[in-house]
Amino acid sequence: MEKKQENSFSLNGSVREIKITPETPDFPDHEGKAEFMSYCSMCHSLKYISMQPNFPRKTWEAEVNKMVAKYKAPIDSVTGKKIADYLVAIKSNH
């Protein structure tokens, strides 16, 4: 009697290749874009930012401050202001 292995399976058919290309949204040029692209992409996808609704300045500033305080993003206050200003310029309801 042949002992059958648990959790074994076989797959008949051809093998196909799937290529997945990461999608980076196209953000508009504005002062602070370089800092935004560099620092924010260190921890999360920039697509995440593109999916956010438009927020007022106060909310974007709070988000940047949260990334520094809670998640230890290596962003100094000058760079943080540039990033917040950029987010306000491209994704704000003023």
Side-chain angles (χ1 to χ4, degrees), residues 4-90:
K4 198 173 185 181
Q5 290 184 336
E6 289 185 37
N7 299 326
S8 66
F9 67 93
S10 65
L11 178 65
N12 296 322
S14 63
V15 176
R16 298 185 187 264
E17 182 178 347
I18 299 173
K19 290 186 179 182
I20 299 173
T21 307
E23 184 180 325
T24 301
D26 188 27
F27 290 97
D29 290 332
H30 195 278
E31 187 175 343
K33 180 180 179 179
E35 290 83 359
F36 163 75
M37 298 288 288
S38 296
Y39 286 91
C40 297
S41 66
M42 291 171 77
C43 299
H44 55 75
S45 166
L46 295 179
K47 187 172 182 176
Y48 179 72
I49 305 293
S50 70
M51 297 182 324
Q52 299 302 309
N54 290 342
F55 289 129
R57 172 176 292 281
K58 181 178 166 182
T59 302
W60 282 123
E61 288 172 345
E63 286 299 308
V64 172
N65 290 335
K66 177 177 74 178
M67 297 302 149
V68 174
K70 186 172 184 179
Y71 300 110
K72 308 300 182 211
I75 301 171
D76 61 46
S77 61
V78 172
T79 303
K81 182 175 181 343
K82 286 182 181 180
I83 292 170
D85 288 347
Y86 179 74
L87 291 166
V88 169
I90 66 161

